């Protein structure tokens, strides 16, 4: 079945872990939409353009071709034919992505890429506006959140594991700044859809969180997921 499952929420709440596990269980693909904004940020950075300059960023969009490919079961974003890999995962690219994501032309540019993939495949899609804008008719909508401290701790451990040098305090400060940008922007702010089920993952283990959301999804899909 071509299910559409939307998982929105702030960074570090566990969206990608839960989304990947659900996609595997249901035999559908996992789409990380934040990676698309990060790839736009990477291109903007490569041209030394200020990511807050809406007109300058919009002028670069015709030069950007993005493609999502699935390699060994995981998503890879290709920017003008080149794999972006871990270059989009740095704290700097998190801030670039957040800045460019507030620009309406960037959101419009990425809309079709996201809707096309959901039209052709069953998807578990994670992001900030999936349940509100991209897939308003999704079969299941989850808004996954957690306390700032808990999210910053998870993100800090993740970055450290990747060998990136940073401190917990810096991660927490960056995260709060980004949450503020993402939830107060005028286009598609990061908010829960009115029909989303909100889950707070603070204090939950990965397994508990996956089990909890898996149960909500199974109940919503009923017999259709069998
Ligand atoms: O999920 P992430 O941390 O990789 O996302 C990076 C930034 O992209 C995030 O700060 C906000 C933006 N974003 C968005 O505006 N809409 C989405 N659907 C996904 C991400």
């Amino acid at each position: 079945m071509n299910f559409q499952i939307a998982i929105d929420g702030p960074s570090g709440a566990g969206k990608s872990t839960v989304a990947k596990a659900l996609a595997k269980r249901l035999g559908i693909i996992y789409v990380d939409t934040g990676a698309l904004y990060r790839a736009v940020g990477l291109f903007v950075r490569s041209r030394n353009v200020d990511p807050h300059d809406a007109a300058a960023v919009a002028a670069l969009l015709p030069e950007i071709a993005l493609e999502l490919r699935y390699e060994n079961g995981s998503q890879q974003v290709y920017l003008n034919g080149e794999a972006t890999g871990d270059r989009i995962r740095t704290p700097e690219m998190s801030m670039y992505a957040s800045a460019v994501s507030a620009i309406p032309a960037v959101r419009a540019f990425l809309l079709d890429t996201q809707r096309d993939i959901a039209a052709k495949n069953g998807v578990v899609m994670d992001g900030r506006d999936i349940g509100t804008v991209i897939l308003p008719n999704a079969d299941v909508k989850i808004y996954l959140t957690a306390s700032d401290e808990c999210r910053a701790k998870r993100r800090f451990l993740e970055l450290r594991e990747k060998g990136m040098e940073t401190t917990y305090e810096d991660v927490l400060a960056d995260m709060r700044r980004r949450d503020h940008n993402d939830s107060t922007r005028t286009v598609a702010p990061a908010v829960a859809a009115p029909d989303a089920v909100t889950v707070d993952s603070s204090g939950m283990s990965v397994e508990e969180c996956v089990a909890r959301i898996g149960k909500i999804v199974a109940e919503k899909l009923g017999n259709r997921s069998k």
Side-chain angles (χ1 to χ4, degrees):
M1 287 278 294
N2 272 6
F3 296 122
Q4 293 186 343
I5 300 178
I7 305 194
D8 289 302
S11 63
K15 298 188 302 289
S16 65
T17 311
V18 169
K20 272 181 208 159
L22 282 179
K24 197 167 175 197
R25 191 180 297 174
L26 294 167
I28 58 184
I29 59 173
Y30 161 57
V31 184
D32 163 13
T33 62
L36 296 169
Y37 292 89
R38 287 170 180 272
V40 171
L42 186 66
F43 188 78
V44 168
R45 170 84 179 76
S46 75
R47 292 302 179 90
N48 290 318
V49 163
D50 174 2
H52 300 281
D53 184 338
V57 171
L60 289 180
L61 296 175
E63 295 177 44
I64 301 179
L66 293 178
E67 199 194 332
L68 288 181
R69 291 192 207 162
Y70 288 83
E71 296 171 350
N72 306 319
S74 57
Q75 172 186 304
Q76 180 67 253
V77 181
Y78 278 76
L79 168 61
N80 294 336
E82 224 185 283
T84 52
D86 268 353
R87 287 180 297 150
I88 59 171
R89 298 290 160 201
T90 62
E92 186 190 24
M93 277 313 117
S94 299
M95 296 313 286
Y96 265 76
S98 180
V100 299
S101 75
I103 300 171
V106 171
R107 305 203 74 83
F109 175 71
L110 296 177
L111 188 77
D112 287 344
T113 308
Q114 297 169 84
R115 286 202 180 141
D116 283 354
I117 199 158
K120 293 186 192 124
N121 308 272
V123 290
V124 181
M125 198 172 263
D126 91 20
R128 303 293 188 288
D129 63 339
I130 309 306
T132 50
V133 176
I134 306 295
L135 305 176
N137 299 318
D139 299 282
V140 186
K141 297 181 187 180
I142 304 285
Y143 191 79
L144 184 60
T145 187
S147 70
D148 296 1
E149 292 78 7
C150 179
R151 293 187 292 115
K153 192 171 151 204
R154 289 179 191 155
R155 184 45 63 93
F156 168 65
L157 293 175
E158 205 178 285
L159 289 171
R160 208 176 55 175
E161 203 165 290
K162 284 187 179 162
M164 292 184 202
E165 282 202 20
T166 181
T167 63
Y168 166 76
E169 287 72 24
D170 281 349
V171 173
L172 180 63
D174 276 2
M175 182 170 271
R176 286 185 170 149
R177 197 149 24 114
R178 202 144 69 90
D179 284 354
H180 179 77
N181 291 346
D182 297 345
S183 58
T184 57
R185 67 181 176 222
T186 42
V187 271
V191 291
D195 51 347
V197 180
T198 296
V199 175
D200 185 334
S201 70
S202 313
M204 275 190 206
S205 67
V206 169
E207 293 74 23
E208 283 166 342
C209 192
V210 171
R212 171 86 174 278
I213 294 179
K215 193 160 171 257
I216 296 169
V217 170
E219 277 167 12
K220 291 255 178 204
L221 296 179
N223 286 331
R224 293 187 297 154
S225 64
K226 304 259 162 61

